[in-house]
């Protein structure tokens, strides 16, 4: 959550109250429920990992098989992307584009972004 807070804080011009309010509203939004990413058993995180695998399998079977051949568990790289909502791995400019998309999408937004990347 520190990555997200730092990213939004920098974008807001270091306005702490506005940043806190935006993060709370974004995470608790009924259409997203990203607050589940940070609960004790990480229910939303594991749900997003499951959705990524099933969606990739439906959208692009060949790419799904390539990912399986790499023999790297999806959780190893996707968890970091989902927990930081992509702010921990990509440039600020690229993250702005991703966050534009995430602000307009529902809880499937991170899955679509991960598949596109």
């Amino acid at each position: 959550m520190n990555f997200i807070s730092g990213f939004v804080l920098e974008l807001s011009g270091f306005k702490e109250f506005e940043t806190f309010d935006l993060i709370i509203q974004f995470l608790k939004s009924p259409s997203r429920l990203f607050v589940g990413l940070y609960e004790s058993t990480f229910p939303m995180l594991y749900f997003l990992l499951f959705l990524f695998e099933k969606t990739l399998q439906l959208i692009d079977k060949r790419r799904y098989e390539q990912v399986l051949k790499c023999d790297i568990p999806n959780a190893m790289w996707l968890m970091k992307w989902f927990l930081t909502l992509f702010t921990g791995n990509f440039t600020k400019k690229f993250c702005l584009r991703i966050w534009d998309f995430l602000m307009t999408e529902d809880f499937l937004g991170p899955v679509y972004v991960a598949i596109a990347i």
Side-chain angles (χ1 to χ4, degrees):
M1 196 179 286
N2 289 339
F3 285 97
I4 295 169
S5 300
F7 178 71
V8 177
L9 189 61
E10 185 180 352
L11 292 178
S12 72
F14 299 98
K15 297 177 183 170
E16 295 171 7
F17 180 76
E18 288 85 355
T19 298
F20 179 76
D21 190 43
L22 174 76
I23 290 171
I24 295 300
Q25 295 302 320
F26 180 70
L27 293 178
K28 285 189 153 188
S29 169
S31 65
R32 292 183 197 94
L33 296 176
F34 288 147
V35 75
L37 288 171
Y38 308 104
E39 291 177 358
S40 62
T41 58
F42 304 106
M44 189 62 163
L45 176 62
Y46 289 110
F47 184 61
L48 288 175
L49 290 171
F50 170 78
L51 286 178
F52 172 83
E53 189 170 324
K54 293 303 177 188
T55 305
L56 183 61
Q57 192 174 10
L58 288 172
I59 290 175
D60 194 348
K61 183 91 168 152
R62 188 179 59 109
R63 183 104 356 120
Y64 174 74
E65 290 169 1
Q66 287 176 341
V67 169
L68 287 179
K69 283 181 186 176
C70 291
D71 203 28
I72 299 172
N74 289 336
M76 183 177 253
W77 55 282
L78 278 175
M79 276 187 168
K80 186 173 182 182
W81 283 9
F82 290 155
L83 281 175
T84 64
L85 291 175
F86 305 95
T87 59
N89 298 85
F90 302 105
T91 65
K92 181 180 168 184
K93 187 175 181 180
F94 190 61
C95 286
L96 281 171
R97 296 286 185 161
I98 293 172
W99 272 64
D100 282 342
F101 181 74
L102 293 178
M103 290 289 190
T104 60
E105 282 296 310
D106 57 2
F107 65 92
L108 289 173
V111 173
Y112 294 144
V113 171
I115 288 173
I117 292 173

